[in-house]
Amino acid sequence: MPQPHSSLVPLPHRYVVPVGRFREIYYWDSYFTMLGLEQSGRHDLVVDMVQNFAWLIDTFGHVPNGNRSYYLSRSQPPFFAAMVELLAERDGERVYATYLPQLAREYAFWMDGVARLAPGSAYRRVVRLKDGTILNRYWDDRETPREESYREDIETARTSTRPAHEVYRNLRAAAESGWDFSFTLVGGWSFACHDQDCGTAARRSQLSPVSTRAGAGASVSVRERPNCGAPDQRPGMATARGHSAPLVEWRGRGVRGLSLAG
């Protein structure tokens, strides 16, 4: 049940959190936890966790970064399709039909606005290149300091040469990437930004990384399985899949995405 004055979003089923100070789940981290649970003979927990993520999609329209109220404006790399696939390896292909509504809804979240996107423009998490190619990027609808890192974000914006709202938006997008402030994002700085423009993290919404494209490709692949009962009806996905399909082999490799900055 919800606790008074708590930011924790209660979940209906059991789940496993990261070690240490954490008391909440994190989206893509949980997939790798599930891999370990399967190896440890705890398939029952994998079932519960997939049900929790389906509940989050039904409730909020996407899987938040974590089950905290201050994470609701962003997600993380879209691994729900991979979780469903992991579950289906044990429980059979009926699993795909069971979770098809949530797969479709998460896909719609990541592709929101694509139908009206002009070449050379971007909206939320989709980008249409000048040749018509569709890519995804990380994003956050808010442009304020993150509640969980409020002081640090204020300081980063204070020392930046760019508008504060732009810095905040991109720091939030960096957090959605799941790589938050590792070597991949800030050129060697770990967990904090100390250079004037906070490295690549401060421009995260201008990148279209491998993890989003591979995740979107995995979602399409799962939805097109014969037992899912729904054909691919999404306009423009042939182009997007042309970019994501070769990248589905990405599973945790630190490959940098394509920069969309001019």
Side-chain angles (χ1 to χ4, degrees), residues 26-27 60 62-77 109-110 124-125 138-142 144-149 153 168-178 180-181:
Y26 287 86
Y27 182 7
F60 300 110
H62 66 284
V63 179
N65 188 152
N67 62 320
R68 294 280 181 186
S69 59
Y70 48 77
Y71 286 150
L72 296 180
S73 62
R74 63 177 183 266
S75 186
Q76 272 196 334
F109 169 79
W110 283 92
R124 300 190 77 198
R125 291 167 177 83
Y138 295 116
W139 182 255
D140 191 306
D141 290 328
R142 299 179 61 186
T144 58
R146 295 167 296 154
E147 287 86 341
E148 72 276 16
S149 300
D153 288 2
Y168 298 145
R169 168 72 53 76
N170 281 277
L171 287 170
R172 286 173 170 274
E176 182 170 84
S177 78
D180 33 310
F181 320 118

Side-chain angles (χ1 to χ4, degrees), residues 6-262:
S6 174
S7 63
L8 189 68
V9 176
L11 298 176
H13 303 283
R14 298 172 300 168
Y15 56 89
V16 178
V17 302
V19 298
R21 63 183 176 85
F22 298 105
R23 296 295 180 269
E24 65 280 331
I25 60 167
Y26 287 86
Y27 182 7
W28 83 322
D29 304 52
S30 295
Y31 172 73
F32 302 101
T33 299
M34 291 177 185
L35 294 177
L37 289 171
E38 287 288 0
Q39 292 299 313
S40 301
R42 294 305 307 269
H43 181 71
D44 59 315
L45 281 175
V46 174
V47 173
D48 279 357
M49 292 175 71
V50 172
Q51 290 176 341
N52 281 331
F53 286 117
W55 179 87
L56 286 167
I57 293 171
D58 287 339
T59 303
F60 300 110
H62 66 284
V63 179
N65 188 152
N67 62 320
R68 294 280 181 186
S69 59
Y70 48 77
Y71 286 150
L72 296 180
S73 62
R74 63 177 183 266
S75 186
Q76 272 196 334
F79 266 62
F80 184 67
M83 295 174 182
V84 171
E85 187 173 25
L86 181 66
L87 198 59
E89 290 175 4
R90 278 283 302 273
D91 294 345
E93 296 213 341
R94 61 182 176 81
V95 169
Y96 295 116
T98 299
Y99 291 105
L100 178 60
Q102 291 82 17
L103 289 165
R105 192 167 184 185
E106 182 179 52
Y107 181 83
F109 169 79
W110 283 92
M111 300 303 291
D112 179 40
V114 67
R116 58 182 181 273
L117 205 58
S121 64
Y123 176 76
R124 300 190 77 198
R125 291 167 177 83
V126 287
V127 177
R128 189 185 296 272
L129 301 185
K130 291 182 179 179
D131 66 358
T133 300
I134 301 297
L135 298 176
N136 291 97
R137 65 175 179 176
Y138 295 116
W139 182 255
D140 191 306
D141 290 328
R142 299 179 61 186
E143 51 183 27
T144 58
R146 295 167 296 154
E147 287 86 341
E148 72 276 16
S149 300
Y150 193 88
R151 182 181 64 183
E152 293 87 345
D153 288 2
I154 292 286
E155 180 62 20
T156 297
R158 186 185 67 82
T159 59
S160 176
T161 59
R162 294 179 302 115
H165 73 275
E166 184 178 325
V167 174
Y168 298 145
R169 168 72 53 76
N170 281 277
L171 287 170
R172 286 173 170 274
E176 182 170 84
S177 78
W179 289 101
D180 33 310
F181 320 118
S182 66
F183 181 85
T184 304
L185 291 187
V186 293
W189 293 104
S190 179
F191 297 105
C193 304
H194 300 289
D195 64 321
Q196 190 176 41
D197 268 333
C198 199
T200 308
R203 301 177 180 85
R204 192 54 172 166
S205 66
Q206 297 175 340
L207 300 179
S208 178
V210 170
S211 50
T212 46
R213 303 202 300 279
S219 178
V220 171
S221 297
V222 168
R223 293 181 61 195
E224 289 180 339
R225 297 183 71 93
N227 288 356
C228 277
D232 184 2
Q233 299 177 344
R234 289 161 300 287
M237 273 312 298
T239 305
R241 291 180 61 214
H243 281 259
S244 62
L247 302 172
V248 172
E249 291 184 359
W250 174 91
R251 291 280 174 111
R253 299 178 188 176
V255 184
R256 292 190 72 152
L258 169 69
S259 175
L260 302 177

